Each structure stands twice: as structure tokens, then as C-alpha cells.
Amino acid sequence: MTGGPVRVPELRSRSWYRWVTATFVAVLVMMAWVAVTQPENRVWVAVTLPLMGLWVTFLVRRSVTFDPGTGVVTRTVVGVSRELRLVPGTEVALVPNGAGALLLALRPPGARRRTYLLILSMTDYVEASQPPELLRGLADTLERFCGPATRAVVRQLREQADHVAGGGTARTSPLAALLTYGVLRAAKAGGAGGIVGHLD
């Protein structure tokens, strides 16, 4: 990969943006109606409106980058950045979020929190994997800075890259088997039978 930080795409679809926009507009309409018809609740409207704005800003203005040359991973949310440096002993794992996304979780020694990079998304709005060059770049960076303890994850990332590079879909990709879904999604997939299948 080229030098300098590499941005990790959010894997969002147009329908996701439409959903966020429609939700925000619907809430605005509801709050306007409350403000006009229920004057006693205008304080609630005044408090809720800024919170909605922050929510939308949080969803849209966030990013994660990694630098293959330095091993630095940077997460930025609404202009505030937090960095971690990959070193030997960094905890590295591929973890499902329970809602159709697979994340690369990173926690260097002594760090209190994990930093997450989105690897695969299989939701109602998008079915997509990160591109092969990014997956290979991540694998190479982990191997270089974190050492042999990451061998299993490095292998999985490279297998995913080979699958996508060969024209394979996100749904049939090797990492798709690691995804999990919550109870609501399981029920949507087929009632009690669907729930049992997802909880096995």
C-alpha cells in the first residue's frame, strides 16, 4: 500500500444515508408538531433537538485510519482523535457486534479500551467487505508491528482478501461465518426457529 495513513471505509450504502435522513426529518416534524400543539413540552423539544443533531453528526463524522509505516491507528469522532500504536502484545481479535458487522478489535498493552475497525458488514442496508488491498495492508501491518501472536487473524484477513479479489461476495466470504445477530434480527429471519438457529 502507499505510504501514509489509510482510511478504513465505513461500508455504508445509499439506503443507509436515506434512512438516517428520513429518521432525522421525521423526528423534526414530530418535534415541530409537539412545539405547536403542546406548549408545555417546548422545553423538551429545545433539549431534544440539539441531541438529535449530535447523533447525526456522530454517525456521519467519524473515521478510522491506520498507518502501515508507523503502526499507528487513529479513530476520529466529530473532530476529536484518539491514537493507538500497534506493538508486540497488542490484543487482536475479529469480533461480531451482534448486528451483522465484523470488527477488528485492537487493544495495546495497558490500554483501557479497544479500538474497532469495520471489516465486514451484512445488514439490511449493505452487504460488503473491505477491499482486498486494504485487508492485505491490515494483515501486513499487524504482522509487522504485533508479531506472531496475530498469526490467526492475519491469515483470516488474507483469506478474506483472496476471496474478494477473486470475485467472491461478502455473503459467501470466509469471515461471514463469524457474524452473529441479535434476537430481533433472528425473529425477523423466521420466528422461534430463526432465533434458535442464531443462538446455536
Side-chain angles (χ1 to χ4, degrees):
M1 303 188 75
T2 58
V6 178
R7 185 185 178 98
V8 180
E10 286 285 344
L11 301 182
R12 295 167 177 164
S13 66
R14 291 181 179 178
S15 58
W16 183 89
Y17 284 103
R18 287 197 295 267
W19 174 81
V20 171
T21 302
T23 301
F24 186 61
V25 170
V27 172
L28 285 179
V29 171
M30 181 191 70
M31 288 193 295
W33 179 82
V34 170
V36 171
T37 62
Q38 303 175 28
E40 68 276 12
N41 289 322
R42 286 177 181 171
V43 173
W44 174 83
V45 172
V47 171
T48 304
L49 187 58
L51 293 177
M52 281 295 300
L54 287 174
W55 174 70
V56 173
T57 302
F58 173 80
L59 288 177
V60 175
R61 295 195 59 193
R62 57 181 179 174
S63 65
V64 179
T65 64
F66 71 96
D67 192 325
T70 63
V72 173
V73 178
T74 304
R75 179 175 180 82
T76 303
V77 179
V78 196
V80 179
S81 297
R82 181 167 63 93
E83 291 186 351
L84 71 83
R85 186 174 295 275
L86 298 174
V87 296
T90 297
E91 294 181 15
V92 179
L94 289 167
V95 296
N97 72 347
L102 189 69
L103 311 172
L104 177 64
L106 306 170
R107 183 164 61 186
R112 298 175 59 184
R113 294 184 297 173
R114 288 176 166 183
T115 293
Y116 297 96
L117 285 69
L118 180 59
I119 299 298
L120 176 68
S121 182
M122 292 284 297
T123 70
D124 292 338
Y125 298 100
V126 62
E127 294 186 2
S129 169
Q130 295 293 358
E133 58 274 14
L134 186 137
L135 293 168
R136 291 182 180 127
L138 276 174
D140 293 345
T141 302
L142 292 174
E143 188 174 56
R144 176 182 177 187
F145 290 97
C146 300
T150 63
R151 188 176 293 116
V153 172
V154 166
R155 184 187 69 252
Q156 289 173 299
L157 291 174
R158 287 174 175 159
E159 289 175 351
Q160 183 78 3
D162 291 342
H163 173 84
V164 177
T169 66
R171 181 171 292 276
T172 61
S173 66
L175 294 183
L178 302 180
L179 293 172
T180 61
Y181 296 92
V183 173
L184 291 178
R185 177 68 180 271
K188 184 177 178 181
I195 294 174
V196 171
H198 286 300
L199 295 179
D200 285 344

